[in-house]
């Protein structure tokens, strides 16, 4: 499995936070902070939009680093991704991501 597939199966290489970090794109940071603030109803500033991927070494957004229940669960269980967990098919924690992103499940099983 590619290192840039998140614990939940999302592709970090397509994430705006990752892309903004990789290309040092301040405009994308600002756009992403605004969108994520509105989506999550919390203040997110452009300087919070820095991430090299949730399974990669290096900087992560605050959410990915410490607030993401999926990442915390995978770290606790010691699995590479949720695809390695026997509870994947019935897990409510990752289930919301998989329901909205069919490609994520494919990434986990691929």
């Amino acid at each position: 499995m590619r290192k840039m597939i998140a614990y939940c199966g999302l592709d970090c290489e397509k994430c705006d936070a990752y892309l903004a970090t990789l290309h040092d794109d301040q405009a994308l940071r600002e756009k992403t902070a605004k969108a994520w603030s509105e989506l999550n109803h919390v203040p997110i500033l452009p300087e919070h939009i820095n991430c090299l991927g949730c399974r990669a070494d290096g900087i992560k957004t605050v959410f990915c680093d410490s607030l993401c229940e999926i990442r915390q669960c995978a770290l606790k269980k010691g699995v590479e991704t949720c695809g390695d967990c026997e509870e994947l098919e019935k897990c409510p924690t990752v289930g919301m991501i998989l329901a909205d992103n069919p490609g994520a499940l494919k990434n986990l099983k691929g």
Side-chain angles (χ1 to χ4, degrees), residues 6 19 27 30 38 40 47-48 51 55 61 66 69 83 88 92 94 104 108-109:
L19 293 170
E30 291 170 7
E38 292 170 1
N40 296 294
E47 54 266 26
H48 298 150
C51 192
R55 293 191 316 127
T61 66
S66 55
E69 292 179 36
L88 173 66
V94 76
L108 292 174
K109 291 188 170 191

Side-chain angles (χ1 to χ4, degrees), residues 49-84:
I49 306 298
N50 289 292
C51 192
L52 293 174
C54 76
R55 293 191 316 127
D57 291 334
I59 193 167
K60 294 164 192 25
T61 66
V62 171
F63 177 81
C64 294
D65 187 44
S66 55
L67 300 175
C68 177
E69 292 179 36
I70 296 167
R71 181 174 186 272
Q72 296 306 314
C73 179
L75 290 171
K76 182 179 174 184
K77 289 183 176 183
V79 295
E80 186 175 351
T81 69
C82 295
D84 297 327

Side-chain angles (χ1 to χ4, degrees), residues 14-66:
K14 294 179 180 174
C15 175
D16 286 341
Y18 173 77
L19 293 170
T21 304
L22 186 67
H23 302 292
D24 195 20
D25 185 335
Q26 188 62 23
L28 183 55
R29 280 188 184 97
E30 291 170 7
K31 176 183 167 190
T32 304
K34 183 177 188 287
W36 288 7
S37 290
E38 292 170 1
L39 180 68
N40 296 294
H41 308 290
V42 294
I44 298 174
L45 303 174
E47 54 266 26
H48 298 150
I49 306 298
N50 289 292
C51 192
L52 293 174
C54 76
R55 293 191 316 127
D57 291 334
I59 193 167
K60 294 164 192 25
T61 66
V62 171
F63 177 81
C64 294
D65 187 44
S66 55

